[in-house]
Amino acid sequence: MSIHLELRSYRGGDRHRHDYSQILLPMRGAMRLDVEGHHSVVSSNCVAIIPRDHEHDFEPSRDCSMLILDVEASAFAGEAAPALLRDALPSLTRVEPWLWRMFRQLGAEVEAGACQASDAARLALAGLQLVEPSALPRPLSRAESRVLGLTRDASAGSVAEMARTAGLGQSRFHALFRVTTGQSPKQMQLGRLFDEAADKLATTALPVSEIAYELGYQNASSFNRQFKRRFGLTPSEFRAASRSGGPG
């Protein structure tokens, strides 16, 4: 096995490690991933990398389905590996919508038996060459550095407060935020909000309505709709899946 591609459905996890790197592309549902203390929620429009020899565990949603590539170092035979695989640390990277549609189509063809797994693996790796790593390819301006610093501060406050802290008008702040992060401030805040929600659902017995109120929602129904839009399942379904246990 230098490259092995497979579409897998998950019901539960167990802590383990591999002597190869693993690439996860979610086709349906979501997965709460723990790679040696690095916690993330793997969901639509992103790719997760688990480097070789990294112990990991996961909690999938009930309908979780992943396009998985198991990749040995020898797979590239002197060719350049995708930038995402050159770092020895686990990562979770957003994928451009047009490229994500390609991965979804590839997964659908594998599931339908319309594409050989070996051919699909090479196509997937070619697509991963187009995924930009998180690091910016040029030095940051001072304003961009201030903006990027605020993205690392979970207590940075509202968008207006972040703009004031950065010493920028809101329109300029929004523009620089997109340049430095590839997303809007609102998208970043929602991502953090729902990652926190997923963690509370998986690790506490708090009612869904109470979690919604704690995160600033005036009613649980709005929270439920947005949570399902992001993860593909309701908060209650996510909680049930995270506690279902069993082998993966």
Side-chain angles (χ1 to χ4, degrees), residues 136 138-152 166 168 176 180:
L136 293 168
R138 58 176 175 77
L140 297 177
S141 68
R142 290 182 179 178
E144 288 170 333
S145 295
R146 292 198 301 272
V147 170
L148 193 59
L150 286 167
T151 69
R152 302 185 181 118
L168 299 167
L176 287 179
T180 56

Side-chain angles (χ1 to χ4, degrees), residues 1 3 22 24 49 58 60 107 131 139-140 146 166 194 217 225 245:
M1 177 206 78
I3 305 175
Q22 194 167 72
L24 291 76
I49 307 294
F58 53 88
V131 178
L140 297 177
R146 292 198 301 272
F194 284 109
Y217 281 83
R225 285 195 303 273

Side-chain angles (χ1 to χ4, degrees), residues 27-49:
M27 297 291 105
R28 289 188 297 274
M31 177 184 288
R32 186 170 181 268
L33 188 63
D34 173 6
V35 185
E36 296 189 349
H38 294 263
H39 298 276
S40 57
V41 176
V42 187
S43 58
S44 182
N45 289 83
C46 67
V47 55
I49 307 294

Side-chain angles (χ1 to χ4, degrees), residues 112-176:
C115 181
Q116 293 288 332
S118 58
D119 294 335
R122 288 295 175 184
L123 286 171
L125 283 177
L128 288 169
Q129 293 280 9
L130 302 175
V131 178
E132 292 291 336
S134 300
L136 293 168
R138 58 176 175 77
L140 297 177
S141 68
R142 290 182 179 178
E144 288 170 333
S145 295
R146 292 198 301 272
V147 170
L148 193 59
L150 286 167
T151 69
R152 302 185 181 118
D153 183 2
S155 61
S158 68
V159 175
E161 289 170 337
M162 286 192 289
R164 283 197 297 272
T165 301
L168 299 167
Q170 288 198 43
S171 60
R172 179 62 174 158
F173 177 76
H174 272 263
L176 287 179

Side-chain angles (χ1 to χ4, degrees), residues 4-8 10 16 18 20-35 40-52 54 56-60 64-71 84-85 90-95 100 103-104 124-125 128 131:
H4 177 75
L5 180 144
E6 184 180 356
L7 193 68
R8 299 178 193 166
Y10 289 90
H16 61 286
H18 307 298
Y20 48 83
S21 295
Q22 194 167 72
I23 303 168
L24 291 76
L25 292 155
M27 297 291 105
R28 289 188 297 274
M31 177 184 288
R32 186 170 181 268
L33 188 63
D34 173 6
V35 185
S40 57
V41 176
V42 187
S43 58
S44 182
N45 289 83
C46 67
V47 55
I49 307 294
I50 304 174
R52 60 177 297 178
H54 277 59
H56 58 281
D57 200 356
F58 53 88
E59 297 175 359
C64 181
S65 176
M66 297 270 171
L67 190 65
I68 302 291
L69 283 94
D70 298 329
V71 183
L84 291 173
L85 292 177
S91 65
L92 182 69
T93 303
R94 290 289 172 190
V95 177
W100 182 250
F103 287 128
R104 289 294 299 269
L125 283 177
L128 288 169
V131 178

